[in-house]
Amino acid sequence: MKTFSLPSEEPKGRPDFLSGLNKQQKQAVTHTDGPLLIVAGAGSGKTRVLTYRIAYLLQQYKAAPEQILALTFTNKAAREMKERIRNLIGDKAGKLWMGTFHSIFSKILRFEAEKIGFGSDFTIYDTNDSQTVVKQILQELNFDPKEIKPKTIHNKISDSKNQLITADTFQEKFISSTLDDITARVYSIYNKRLKQSNAMDFDDLLVKPIELFQKHPEILEKYQDRFKYILIDEYQDTNHAQYKVTKMLADKYENICVVGDDAQSIYSFRGADISNILNFKEDYENATQVPLEQNYRSTKAILQCADSIIKQNTKQLDKTLWTEQDYGERITLLENFDERDEANRVASHIQNLKMKHGYKNNNFAILYRTNYQSRVFEEALRRKDLTYQLVGGLSFYQRKEIKDVLAYLTLLVNPHDETNLLRIINEPSRGIGNKSIQDILKKAREEGRSVWSIIQHVESLDVYKPAKARVREFVDMIDRLHNNLENGESLTDTVKAVLEQSGYMRALVEENSHESMMRRDNIIELQNAISYFEKGKSNASLSAFLQEISLITDQDKFDEDKPAITLMTVHASKGLEFPVVFIVGLEENLFPMGARNNFDVDIEEERRLFYVAITRAEERLFFSHCRSRFKFGEETRQARSRFLEEVDSGVVQTETGATIAQKKDRFSNNDSGSSNHEVEYDWKQNPTKKTYKSPSATIHYDYQDGEDPFQVGVKVIHKKFGPGKIISRDGSGSDSRVVVFFKNRGQKKLMLRAAPLQVID
């Protein structure tokens, strides 16, 4: 194994990496040995601390650059950190192992893949590729993909992998339904199919290193010695596999530094486990904990608002954020009639702020809970001629024509990749019909071989003769392109040859439609991207380019310098900041979203998500909710989000200037314009239903009038929780359960037979 030496003499004029740091930041930077937990509140300068800590380790000769491993969750964060370190220490930063979990461990796997039965040029399947494999397996097992959704099966497989549950273990211990049984059958075949294609999915990039280290302890020790210091950003977002693999690497020296904020743990839906950060000091008994509490981003008003929300959660690490910033503007609450009114009002406020205060388009962000909410804002911004960028839409690299060209390129480095081979064997059409493809697939399954190994000897196959000739031409083309690449042909020329010899570009030109011309332009842009990649790197390889684009995240698509208003989900906004932020759709069953299923709501994570949204704002913050929305073609009354009841009412004001402590709601159930807090939750009963008049009635099931009064929409009162409204109900008779939203206590799930509820007028 390669050894790393440190300089024997201290250079003169070393930079002072501690100047300008506050006391807590300085403590985090200079604590060089042993486990360290940095609890970094929003806007507290954690990126600066991480970069200075790495520079300080190098300055103090604790490690060579090659011995430092820094793991992030986005390529953007890794690039930013590496650039800052380069500015501090020079070109040595290029030798650091710094990147996302997936990029770093895919790099390790490229070196070691043969130890676990893969080739070094394995393909990385994205979610769509993985779902394509699952769909094919379902069809082979005679399941209809329209009834058994490939996405559902793939999600269950992905969740299992992240929890390190193997296909065998899933089969033995986790089958409790027909869907689980189908998943177990698919899971086992799915793994075999990927290995046969020399491919790994995103989850494998975390799971396979663990398998590698467990099977080959000498490999684990090699990387333990290589990575003397380990730093992990956004530790609250790690899943079980990420926790396991980094703990294995850190076990020898325990020089592990994790940075995170439990208050910003918002990814449980993709396997993130908040207990990883909450239990860090149990994993490392001699760990030091340093809180970063000074916020450099937001005004006092915004920070006060955020603090009032997050303190409602029970599971938290100890920290108190504060700032030396000005108090700033109060948060403005926009109360709208419907989603169109909301979008128009937000667009108008953006226009006014630009004119009155000189803000630029890229100073604004509109944050929502789900992607479908973007449509009305896009329309409103277009009407006012306001430029915007939509983050989280269809990625450039997910477009059909781009995926097709990339499939050709993938086969040049990994011809055994079945998914990509099947994608383009008859794209554009070259006379290889579906019947011939199915015959080839049948042969591959019978012999347990890859499709590529079968079609290399297509002459011996029982396939329609004209199709057999076309398959031979396809194989010869891939072989020819591969050989040219191996003999030193540039990536730029390789792409040109692929487009020419495959006939792909010619087919688009001959179609001569508006859509085909747009696809052609997209392919030209892909050629530009490949040329740029080749010029920017020495010894650039096609394999490296394919790996780089396969690991692009949503945040990597965000251009903070683009002169455009940003529209994105709150999840996508994490790690970003904007002078002006609009948080829209603050309504029950939307934000918090979890309430849509009525039961088992993880309201604390939804609250953390709201906290993340608030703390993206630097100077001005707007909350927005609607009185009604169109759902499934019908207008539906909306209840204002409980989070608006939890915020410090003194820092939030309506557009008229009244704080919400003075005026809870501008809407009422009549036309008088009077304020009535209860109206926010639409507590007025449906006038077509009979009103149950007895305010003192106790729960029972033999109503004299024959009508059960505890229906959805009815107002009730509880001895402990106070007044509320029934927002959902299920079950019948003595098994009836209701979900009640209480004004002062939020949402509660109750059994009718046991709950001390009374109906009120």
Side-chain angles (χ1 to χ4, degrees):
M1 176 185 169
K2 181 180 178 181
T3 59
F4 306 98
S5 59
L6 301 175
S8 58
E9 295 183 2
E10 181 177 317
K12 296 180 180 179
R14 294 189 305 166
D16 181 6
F17 296 129
L18 305 182
S19 62
L21 299 178
N22 65 39
K23 181 179 179 181
Q24 292 169 320
Q25 291 175 332
K26 189 177 298 184
Q27 182 183 358
V29 167
T30 58
H31 186 280
T32 57
D33 295 316
L36 175 65
L37 168 61
I38 303 174
V39 184
S44 61
K46 71 177 178 66
T47 303
R48 188 183 193 196
V49 168
L50 277 173
T51 54
Y52 275 53
R53 177 177 169 81
I54 292 171
Y56 188 78
L57 287 171
L58 296 172
Q59 184 195 59
Q60 298 299 309
Y61 309 127
K62 291 290 184 178
E66 300 93 329
Q67 291 178 300
I68 296 176
L69 171 63
L71 296 166
T72 66
F73 274 85
T74 66
N75 296 302
K76 177 179 179 292
R79 284 195 302 268
E80 181 181 348
M81 286 175 58
K82 185 168 285 190
E83 186 58 33
R84 290 193 189 188
I85 295 171
R86 192 183 302 277
N87 292 335
L88 291 172
I89 66 173
D91 292 338
K92 288 189 297 183
K95 297 180 180 180
L96 295 166
W97 281 63
M98 179 178 290
T100 65
F101 277 88
H102 292 92
S103 66
I104 290 296
F105 288 106
S106 66
K107 183 177 178 180
I108 291 174
L109 287 169
R110 295 287 177 195
F111 293 134
E112 313 291 351
E114 292 182 2
K115 305 282 195 316
I116 51 174
F118 286 81
S120 61
D121 283 328
F122 61 82
T123 303
I124 300 173
Y125 278 1
D126 62 21
T127 301
N128 289 333
D129 295 330
S130 297
Q131 289 178 9
T132 297
V133 178
V134 170
K135 180 180 179 180
Q136 187 178 62
I137 295 170
L138 285 170
Q139 291 172 328
E140 291 173 7
L141 294 174
N142 296 317
F143 292 110
D144 185 352
K146 293 181 180 179
E147 296 181 2
I148 308 297
K149 301 294 185 184
K151 180 178 180 180
T152 302
I153 300 296
H154 175 252
N155 285 343
K156 292 177 77 68
I157 292 173
S158 178
D159 290 344
S160 298
K161 285 190 176 185
N162 284 322
Q163 293 299 317
L164 302 181
I165 299 169
T166 65
D168 289 341
T169 303
F170 190 95
Q171 176 73 54
E172 293 171 6
K173 300 181 179 180
F174 292 91
I175 295 181
S176 58
S177 67
T178 301
L179 187 63
D180 289 338
D181 184 59
I182 295 171
T183 300
R185 295 172 66 186
V186 173
Y187 192 176
S188 179
I189 300 172
Y190 174 80
N191 283 342
K192 293 175 183 175
R193 195 67 49 82
L194 260 61
K195 191 165 187 178
Q196 196 174 62
S197 296
N198 192 29
M200 297 187 192
D201 62 21
F202 260 51
D203 303 309
D204 286 331
L205 298 182
L206 302 175
V207 174
K208 293 300 180 183
I210 297 173
E211 177 186 333
L212 171 70
F213 294 155
Q214 289 175 334
K215 289 183 176 179
H216 300 276
E218 75 282 3
I219 302 294
L220 171 60
E221 187 173 9
K222 179 176 79 170
Y223 285 100
Q224 286 176 333
D225 287 330
R226 174 182 283 272
F227 303 132
K228 187 176 179 182
Y229 285 88
I230 299 173
L231 299 91
I232 306 175
D233 192 16
E234 305 288 5
Y235 193 64
Q236 77 281 348
D237 293 334
T238 53
N239 61 31
H240 184 60
Q242 289 163 327
Y243 161 81
K244 175 74 173 179
V245 71
T246 52
K247 193 169 190 310
M248 292 174 79
L249 287 173
D251 271 350
K252 185 168 185 178
Y253 295 105
E254 291 199 344
N255 288 326
I256 180 170
C257 167
V258 302
V259 184
D261 182 5
D262 57 298
Q264 297 185 66
S265 178
I266 59 173
Y267 292 114
S268 67
F269 68 92
R270 68 182 190 195
D273 187 351
I274 193 174
S275 68
N276 291 344
I277 191 169
L278 295 177
N279 298 335
F280 182 80
K281 295 180 76 174
E282 295 179 16
D283 290 329
Y284 302 94
E285 294 181 359
N286 61 333
T288 298
Q289 179 172 326
V290 177
L292 302 184
E293 299 174 307
Q294 183 174 357
N295 178 284
Y296 294 92
R297 177 187 299 158
S298 306
T299 63
K300 282 187 173 71
I302 292 171
L303 207 59
Q304 186 176 335
C305 178
D307 182 64
S308 67
I309 279 292
I310 202 61
K311 73 180 182 183
Q312 306 285 333
N313 279 3
T314 56
K315 299 176 182 178
Q316 297 185 63
L317 293 173
D318 185 33
K319 65 179 178 300
T320 302
L321 290 186
W322 60 277
T323 182
E324 293 180 344
Q325 306 271 54
D326 294 335
Y327 184 81
E329 301 286 334
R330 284 193 176 100
I331 292 84
T332 300
L333 176 65
L334 308 181
E335 302 166 302
N336 312 285
F337 290 103
D338 59 23
E339 62 266 45
R340 292 168 184 79
D341 182 33
E342 179 179 49
N344 289 332
R345 198 169 297 192
V346 167
S348 294
H349 274 281
I350 290 174
Q351 210 167 40
N352 291 337
L353 287 168
K354 287 179 64 178
M355 289 188 295
K356 293 181 180 179
H357 301 282
Y359 286 110
K360 307 296 183 184
N361 279 344
N362 62 346
N363 295 147
F364 297 94
I366 301 173
L367 308 182
Y368 35 78
R369 182 63 179 81
T370 60
N371 276 309
Y372 78 81
Q373 292 173 257
S374 70
R375 181 184 60 81
V376 290
F377 291 99
E378 292 182 72
E379 293 173 354
L381 294 174
R382 282 198 297 266
R383 282 193 295 269
K384 291 187 179 294
D385 199 26
L386 293 168
T387 305
Y388 65 89
Q389 63 173 326
L390 183 65
V391 178
L394 181 65
S395 164
F396 174 79
Y397 291 105
Q398 291 298 321
R399 298 180 187 277
K400 179 189 180 302
E401 62 276 13
I402 302 302
K403 291 274 284 185
D404 287 345
V405 176
L406 292 176
Y408 276 103
L409 296 176
T410 298
L411 291 190
L412 303 189
V413 296
N414 178 19
H416 295 284
D417 183 337
E418 180 179 298
T419 299
N420 281 302
L421 189 155
L422 294 177
R423 182 183 184 95
I424 47 87
I425 192 171
N426 196 43
E427 183 65 51
S429 178
R430 51 175 58 92
I432 306 173
N434 188 58
K435 173 66 167 59
S436 298
I437 293 173
Q438 291 305 313
D439 289 341
I440 293 169
L441 273 174
K442 181 180 178 182
K443 183 71 170 176
R445 300 292 179 259
E446 288 174 351
E447 298 189 8
R449 296 161 57 197
S450 71
V451 172
W452 176 255
S453 66
I454 294 294
I455 63 175
Q456 280 183 304
H457 307 284
V458 66
E459 289 80 9
S460 64
L461 297 180
D462 184 16
V463 176
Y464 183 53
K465 190 172 181 180
K468 189 181 295 188
R470 302 288 86 78
V471 172
R472 169 48 58 193
E473 292 173 2
F474 175 79
V475 171
D476 290 344
M477 176 186 65
I478 297 299
D479 279 337
R480 185 169 57 250
L481 291 166
H482 168 78
N483 291 334
N484 291 342
L485 182 65
E486 288 289 298
N487 291 329
E489 185 175 68
S490 70
L491 301 188
T492 302
D493 289 339
T494 297
V495 178
K496 289 180 181 178
V498 164
L499 294 172
E500 179 182 341
Q501 295 184 36
S502 68
Y504 199 95
M505 192 68 92
R506 182 174 62 253
L508 292 177
V509 172
E510 289 175 352
E511 182 181 330
N512 196 30
S513 66
H514 176 68
E515 182 180 358
S516 70
M517 291 301 100
M518 289 182 63
R519 289 181 173 179
R520 184 198 64 175
D521 291 344
N522 286 336
I523 290 173
I524 292 172
E525 183 58 32
L526 174 63
Q527 290 179 280
N528 295 338
I530 291 173
S531 296
Y532 181 80
F533 174 84
E534 189 170 31
K535 291 177 182 177
K537 295 181 183 293
S538 58
N539 301 319
S541 69
L542 180 55
S543 180
F545 174 76
L546 293 171
Q547 173 172 311
E548 182 171 293
I549 63 173
S550 72
L551 299 173
I552 290 174
T553 66
D554 278 348
Q555 278 205 358
D556 296 317
K557 307 166 200 169
F558 170 65
D559 183 358
E560 60 188 11
D561 297 320
K562 184 176 181 179
I565 298 158
T566 299
L567 279 70
M568 57 171 39
T569 64
V570 181
H571 280 102
S573 74
K574 190 165 175 293
L576 304 176
E577 55 189 34
F578 303 88
V580 185
V581 170
F582 293 83
I583 306 174
V584 300
L586 284 168
E587 297 137 36
E588 287 296 303
N589 300 317
L590 183 54
F591 201 174
M593 172 64 74
R596 64 182 173 179
N597 296 320
N598 298 325
F599 300 101
D600 302 321
V601 175
D602 186 356
I603 197 63
E604 293 215 348
E605 176 151 331
E606 289 289 311
R607 191 176 285 115
R608 292 194 295 269
L609 189 60
F610 186 41
Y611 173 84
V612 166
I614 293 171
T615 53
R616 299 311 94 199
E618 297 174 318
E619 300 170 11
R620 295 173 185 267
L621 177 61
F622 291 78
F623 294 156
S624 178
H625 72 92
C626 297
R627 183 180 184 180
S628 65
R629 284 183 184 272
F630 272 90
K631 295 181 178 179
F632 307 106
E634 296 183 2
E635 186 176 7
T636 306
R637 292 276 293 180
Q638 294 294 102
R640 194 169 80 174
S641 172
R642 72 192 70 184
F643 296 152
L644 293 175
E645 305 305 307
E646 295 175 353
V647 298
D648 185 332
S649 57
V651 298
V652 182
Q653 64 182 17
T654 64
E655 290 175 280
T656 62
T659 66
I660 59 173
Q662 299 168 323
K663 180 180 179 182
K664 284 286 185 183
D665 184 18
R666 61 180 288 202
F667 297 122
S668 69
N669 285 323
N670 53 49
D671 296 326
S672 65
S674 62
S675 177
N676 181 349
H677 175 60
E678 290 185 356
V679 175
E680 280 302 320
Y681 302 95
D682 188 20
W683 286 357
K684 181 179 179 181
Q685 295 189 70
N686 188 327
T688 63
K689 290 185 179 293
K690 181 178 179 180
T691 302
Y692 187 67
K693 296 294 186 180
S694 173
S696 59
T698 304
I699 299 290
H700 57 87
Y701 298 96
D702 55 346
Y703 305 108
Q704 293 179 354
D705 58 6
E707 182 177 342
D708 181 348
F710 297 96
Q711 302 297 324
V712 174
V714 169
K715 292 183 291 183
V716 295
I717 192 166
H718 186 282
K719 288 182 179 180
K720 180 178 179 181
F721 304 139
K725 175 188 173 184
I726 298 176
I727 61 175
S728 71
R729 174 172 173 167
D730 72 352
S732 60
S734 61
D735 291 328
S736 293
R737 296 181 296 179
V738 293
V739 175
V740 182
F741 189 92
F742 294 100
K743 286 199 298 182
N744 301 319
R745 300 299 293 272
Q747 185 170 295
K748 302 290 182 182
K749 179 176 65 175
L750 304 168
M751 294 293 295
L752 272 179
R753 69 170 180 263
L757 284 177
Q758 296 177 344
V759 175
I760 58 176
D761 289 334

